[in-house]
């Protein structure tokens, strides 16, 4: 199996130039599915911390790069929306956040903000033992007690502590909630949900969002509930 990916065929969310060269690195197996950007691209092409795959492997073998609180050794590890990258020796911390146009961008945050990450609940299922499993947008799972499970629903967002892996905050998907568009023509825009228009049948519900730069409408799959600490304006 090839380790390369044609640049013209990469997802729109990848922060790479498509016409400069023919190939780029291929993402490995892991979170975020096909939308995940290989860590090497962020280290080499976005941050400029390394010049080659060899240098990236050396740096990662020193446990100097943390993703969501865990040391990463695979330069092809997929990185995606709301992941936290920490470079403790440099005292630099970044959150992966959707930019205008849907491209993933790195937003600098402080150490405290980098101690947890945001996740959108995409599925909720009962598991053996009586607990309930919340599956997040990147495919990771968080377990909650059955008696607490009623608080959470799909499309809600939770904040997970990177060290304890426990839920430290919960944001409900509802009218009035602060959201960011993560896909579609309005990707990167932030505002409050003004109205949720429920569509009968199998069609997607429409969401009207009130933003400082004007209202916009999109489908609810394209918005994620956040709070003011997750807008990139941490300072």
């Amino acid at each position: 199996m090839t380790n390369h990916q044609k640049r013209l065929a990469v997802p729109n969310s990848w922060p790479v130039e498509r016409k400069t060269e023919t190939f780029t690195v291929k993402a490995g197996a892991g979170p975020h599915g096909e939308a995940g950007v290989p860590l090497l691209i962020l280290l080499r092409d976005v941050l400029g911390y390394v010049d080659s795959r060899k240098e990236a492997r050396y740096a990662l073998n020193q446990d100097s790069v943390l993703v969501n609180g865990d040391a990463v050794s695979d330069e092809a590890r997929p990185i995606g929306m709301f992941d936290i990258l920490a470079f403790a020796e440099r005292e630099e911390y970044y959150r992966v956040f959707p930019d205008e146009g849907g491209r993933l961008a790195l937003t600098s945050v402080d150490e405290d903000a980098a101690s947890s990450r945001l996740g959108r609940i995409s599925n909720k299922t009962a598991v053996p033992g009586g607990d309930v499993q919340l599956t997040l947008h990147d495919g990771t799972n968080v377990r909650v007690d059955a008696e607490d499970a009623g608080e959470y629903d799909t499309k809600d967002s939770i904040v997970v502590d990177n060290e304890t892996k426990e839920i430290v905050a919960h944001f409900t998907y509802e009218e009035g909630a602060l959201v960011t568009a993560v896909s579609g023509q309005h990707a990167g825009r932030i505002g409050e949900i003004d109205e949720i228009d429920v569509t009968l049948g199998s069609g997607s519900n429409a969401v009207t969002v009130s933003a400082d730069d004007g209202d916009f409408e999109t489908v609810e799959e394209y918005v994620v509930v956040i709070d003011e600490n997750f807008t990139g304006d941490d300072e």
Side-chain angles (χ1 to χ4, degrees):
M1 183 178 292
T2 178
N3 289 325
H4 294 86
Q5 163 78 51
K6 284 193 173 182
R7 286 178 177 257
L8 288 175
V10 301
N12 293 332
S13 60
W14 285 31
V16 298
E17 297 297 329
R18 285 163 172 72
K19 297 183 179 180
T20 54
E21 298 179 24
T22 303
F23 293 99
T24 187
V25 63
K26 184 177 182 180
H32 301 288
E34 296 181 354
V37 180
L39 179 57
L40 175 59
I41 288 180
L42 299 181
L43 296 177
R44 182 189 62 195
D45 303 338
V46 177
L47 294 170
Y49 287 169
V50 301
D51 293 323
S52 65
R53 182 189 290 263
K54 182 178 180 180
E55 288 185 9
R57 286 176 175 171
Y58 177 81
L60 294 175
N61 285 336
Q62 310 307 308
D63 292 339
S64 60
V65 181
L66 304 182
V67 178
N68 301 329
D70 299 321
V72 175
S73 60
D74 180 9
E75 76 279 4
R77 197 268 197 197
I79 306 297
M81 184 174 65
F82 302 125
D83 278 345
I84 297 291
L85 270 64
F87 304 88
E89 294 180 1
R90 293 173 173 264
E91 296 184 346
E92 294 181 4
Y93 308 90
Y94 298 94
R95 179 183 298 116
V96 181
F97 201 77
D99 203 350
E100 291 185 10
R103 276 195 173 192
L104 297 177
L106 297 180
T107 299
S108 179
V109 298
D110 60 27
E111 184 177 3
D112 183 61
S115 66
S116 59
R117 69 184 182 95
L118 188 76
R120 183 179 193 256
I121 301 174
S122 61
N123 197 20
K124 176 182 174 181
T125 55
V127 293
D131 290 342
V132 172
Q133 179 174 280
L134 307 177
T135 301
L136 305 184
H137 67 279
D138 61 357
T140 60
N141 299 311
V142 179
R143 284 198 177 193
V144 296
D145 294 333
E147 56 266 29
D148 299 327
E151 301 177 20
Y152 307 98
D153 205 350
T154 56
K155 307 183 189 70
D156 289 357
S157 292
I158 57 176
V159 178
V160 180
D161 185 276
N162 286 333
E163 182 176 353
T164 66
K165 310 304 180 185
E166 295 180 351
I167 298 173
V168 295
H170 171 217
F171 309 121
T172 304
Y173 174 75
E174 60 186 358
E175 292 180 356
L178 183 67
V179 297
T180 181
V182 298
S183 189
Q185 63 178 330
H186 301 292
R189 299 181 67 184
I190 294 171
E192 292 185 357
I193 296 179
D194 186 55
E195 182 181 5
I196 300 174
D197 184 12
V198 178
T199 302
L200 298 178
S202 59
S204 297
N205 294 341
V207 179
T208 301
V209 179
S210 177
D212 290 341
D213 56 353
D215 295 355
F216 65 90
E217 185 175 311
T218 186
V219 294
E220 64 181 7
E221 287 82 5
Y222 287 176
V223 296
V224 175
V225 183
I226 57 175
D227 79 343
E228 63 273 8
N229 295 320
F230 288 81
T231 63
D233 299 327
D234 300 288
E235 61 271 49

